Amino acid sequence: MNPVLPQVFAASFSRFGDILAVTDPDSSLTYSQLADRAEAVSAWMAGHGGGEGRTRVGIYATNSTDYVAAYVGAIFAGAVPFLVDSAFGPFELSRIAEDCSLDLLIHAPDAEVSSLTEEPLSHGGELGALAAHRLRSHASPRLPLLDTTEVCRFTSGSTGRPNCIEFSGEAVHAAAANWAKGTALGAEDRIACLAALSNGLAFNTSLLAAFLSGASLHLSRGLPTASRVVRLLERTEATRLVAFPALYESMVRRGSGAGFEMVGAAISSGAPLRGSVREEFTRLTGVPVHNYYGVAEAGPLTFATDGIGAGLGTPLPGVQLLADEIGIRVRSESMGSRYLNAAGVFEDRVDSQGFYHTGDQGRLEPDGLHLTGRTGRMVNVGGRKIDPLEVTEVLREVPGVLDAVVFEYENRHGEPTLAAVVSAGPGTATPELRKHCSRVLPTFKVPSIFHVTDEIPANSIGKPSVQRLRRLLDDALSN
């Protein structure tokens, strides 16, 4: 089967020529220059391929123009890029390399990769500031890719092994094209992207979507502090901001709307954005926050065009969405094909009509989709099923509470219990939290363990990190 993405990228590069395509704090590339860089990467890769079938290239780095050139260069070379979250540690990276039989790894020069690499690969600047290694072979069999697979991405890996999602070129193209159409992305847009390109928020809304439209993509490095974001917006005169909820919360804490004069829309996804934060951000900056709902396996699904209501918006082009007692099910043109390293798991979530069961619960209202919980993550405590999201929303009602996460935790006797970690301002104490929950919830839904902290630990995509939350409780309860 003829690959789709090489022609798609080449057409955009040819069409938009000398228009600015992508920048980072240290460099910028026009569409023509990006084409030249990608062709150079492709030629370099042709001389360093390996393994059976198409070369499998892991890209393990933070956002940069070099990252984009490496990604497109791999596509031009007929290789399959595997976009690995740079927040993954050596353990997760080694499991990915083994599960997916990666041949090459393009990475940040300071990345800890010695435990899984075989030899460094020299280059004459084709990869810019990035480095490359050939990976060690593994005893496990090399799982075959589908013939249509052109890009692979990963679930967050918060539990178990990160699942590797195979995407056809048609699905990647559809995700970008339908996003551009459904959100009216145009050549005049300048996108300030604060999410990692390996994550669906950036991958679907900013990478190929920007280039299909002739827009410019502006990338940041380092921790996205409020001041750094403002400098990026001012330097690029960005018209769109793409970021996780934590960034908008940071801007609200900053208490100033300066620097947002050119921004017409802010886009949020990855974790729920509280209505109070969204409203305060818009009050400070004058910029509406457009919620977006997507899942890694099915691509971008909804978009709130008005940026006013609390809903997650209506389905994007190419998306069919059902929300009923079974849960939220979707069928999209941007859907992945399967998990490479988890046979049958993806397929089991797709029904006979081709709808993928997201595991989320929700309802469709006039302003769009509203999430209400999860179908598969109920906590069982003492034989009673509890939805952690319900308890979380009750805790967020307490004055002074900034955020909360509720989850199952083993007490000192090894029994499952309900725990709540709450970030709050000074003066908020456990007795107040427990009393409020007791007033609102049945006794069995009141957490047995409360812990108040300054900030909820999050993973690289802005979602609470349950592993770090468990360690936080372990440390707190052992003292």
Side-chain angles (χ1 to χ4, degrees):
M1 184 172 180
N2 291 328
V4 171
L5 295 180
Q7 287 76 20
V8 169
F9 276 106
S12 289
F13 295 166
S14 175
R15 179 183 177 189
F16 299 115
D18 293 333
I19 295 174
L20 184 63
V22 59
T23 75
D24 63 28
D26 302 315
S27 62
S28 63
L29 297 171
T30 65
Y31 279 85
S32 293
Q33 290 169 334
L34 178 55
D36 291 342
R37 283 285 311 277
E39 290 289 0
V41 172
S42 175
W44 173 86
M45 203 167 288
H48 294 86
E52 178 185 341
R54 289 173 290 168
T55 302
R56 305 181 185 191
V57 184
I59 303 179
Y60 179 60
T62 56
N63 291 357
S64 67
T65 59
D66 294 335
Y67 185 111
V68 176
Y71 168 67
V72 182
I75 288 170
F76 280 178
V80 179
F82 288 68
L83 306 188
V84 182
D85 190 338
S86 63
F88 284 169
F91 177 72
E92 289 166 307
L93 182 61
S94 65
R95 298 184 86 170
I96 287 171
E98 180 176 4
D99 282 1
C100 303
S101 301
L102 298 185
D103 301 307
L104 306 179
L105 186 68
I106 296 175
H107 58 88
D110 59 350
E112 179 49 60
V113 299
S114 58
S115 62
L116 61 151
T117 56
E118 185 175 80
E119 61 174 306
L121 300 175
S122 61
H123 63 88
E126 294 91 345
L127 301 179
L130 299 178
H133 275 81
R134 192 176 307 282
L135 294 178
R136 293 173 181 164
S137 58
H138 295 276
S140 54
R142 185 177 175 93
L143 299 172
L145 293 164
L146 295 172
D147 291 342
T148 57
T149 298
E150 295 187 43
V151 177
C152 289
R153 293 180 41 244
F154 295 86
T155 57
S156 62
S158 57
T159 59
R161 306 175 90 96
N163 287 335
C164 176
I165 312 167
E166 294 185 54
F167 288 95
S168 69
E170 289 182 349
V172 174
H173 181 219
N178 290 335
W179 174 264
K181 180 180 179 181
T183 67
L185 179 64
E188 73 284 356
D189 278 307
R190 298 173 294 279
I191 305 168
C193 181
L194 278 299
L197 294 173
S198 60
N199 177 263
L201 174 58
F203 182 81
N204 293 319
T205 72
S206 305
L207 189 48
L208 179 54
F211 302 149
L212 287 180
S213 307
S216 57
L217 174 60
H218 302 278
L219 306 171
S220 179
R221 285 208 194 101
L223 186 67
T225 61
S227 58
R228 181 170 287 165
V229 172
V230 169
R231 288 197 298 272
L232 174 65
L233 298 178
E234 292 177 340
R235 175 174 62 83
T236 63
E237 298 185 334
T239 61
R240 285 194 180 194
L241 172 63
V242 175
F244 293 112
L247 185 280
Y248 299 107
E249 293 171 359
S250 174
M251 298 306 301
V252 166
R253 289 195 296 271
R254 176 176 178 259
S256 170
F260 285 78
E261 290 76 14
M262 298 294 292
V263 179
I267 297 164
S268 176
S269 186
L273 178 65
R274 288 184 294 150
S276 59
V277 174
R278 175 176 50 80
E279 293 167 5
E280 181 63 9
F281 176 86
T282 300
R283 187 191 71 79
L284 287 170
T285 65
V287 179
V289 180
H290 300 260
N291 288 320
Y292 143 60
Y293 172 66
V295 296
E297 294 83 355
L301 300 171
T302 70
F303 181 71
T305 54
D306 59 14
I308 299 173
L312 298 175
T314 53
L316 288 161
V319 173
Q320 294 175 276
L321 188 148
L322 304 174
D324 52 29
E325 67 280 356
I326 299 175
I328 297 174
R329 292 168 288 155
V330 297
R331 186 165 62 190
S332 71
E333 295 175 356
S334 53
M335 192 176 296
S337 306
R338 66 172 185 179
Y339 296 132
L340 172 63
N341 59 337
V345 175
F346 187 101
E347 293 84 346
D348 287 346
R349 296 176 183 171
V350 180
D351 65 21
S352 58
Q353 285 76 47
F355 282 86
Y356 178 83
H357 290 247
T358 65
D360 290 321
Q361 291 178 319
R363 61 184 185 274
L364 283 169
E365 296 188 359
D367 64 341
L369 177 68
H370 289 251
L371 296 184
T372 59
R374 292 282 296 174
T375 60
R377 295 192 179 177
M378 303 293 281
V379 174
N380 188 332
V381 177
R384 294 181 180 269
K385 298 290 183 65
I386 303 169
D387 184 354
L389 184 60
E390 177 188 6
V391 185
T392 296
E393 292 303 323
V394 169
L395 285 167
R396 287 173 174 168
E397 297 170 356
V398 178
V401 169
L402 303 174
D403 203 358
V405 182
V406 177
F407 56 100
E408 183 177 333
Y409 180 83
E410 286 190 359
N411 63 21
R412 65 177 181 273
H413 304 296
E415 300 167 339
T417 188
L418 199 64
V421 175
V422 177
S423 66
T428 303
T430 292
E432 178 186 4
L433 299 173
R434 191 183 301 277
K435 184 177 180 181
H436 178 77
C437 287
S438 298
R439 283 200 304 264
V440 179
L441 297 167
T443 301
F444 72 89
K445 291 187 178 182
V446 177
S448 300
I449 299 172
F450 288 87
H451 180 74
V452 180
T453 184
D454 293 332
E455 185 176 5
I456 300 291
N459 60 22
S460 64
I461 65 171
K463 292 183 180 181
S465 171
V466 176
Q467 291 177 335
R468 292 171 63 189
L469 286 166
R470 293 186 193 282
R471 288 199 298 270
L472 184 66
L473 280 188
D474 290 343
D475 293 341
L477 296 176
S478 65
N479 294 331

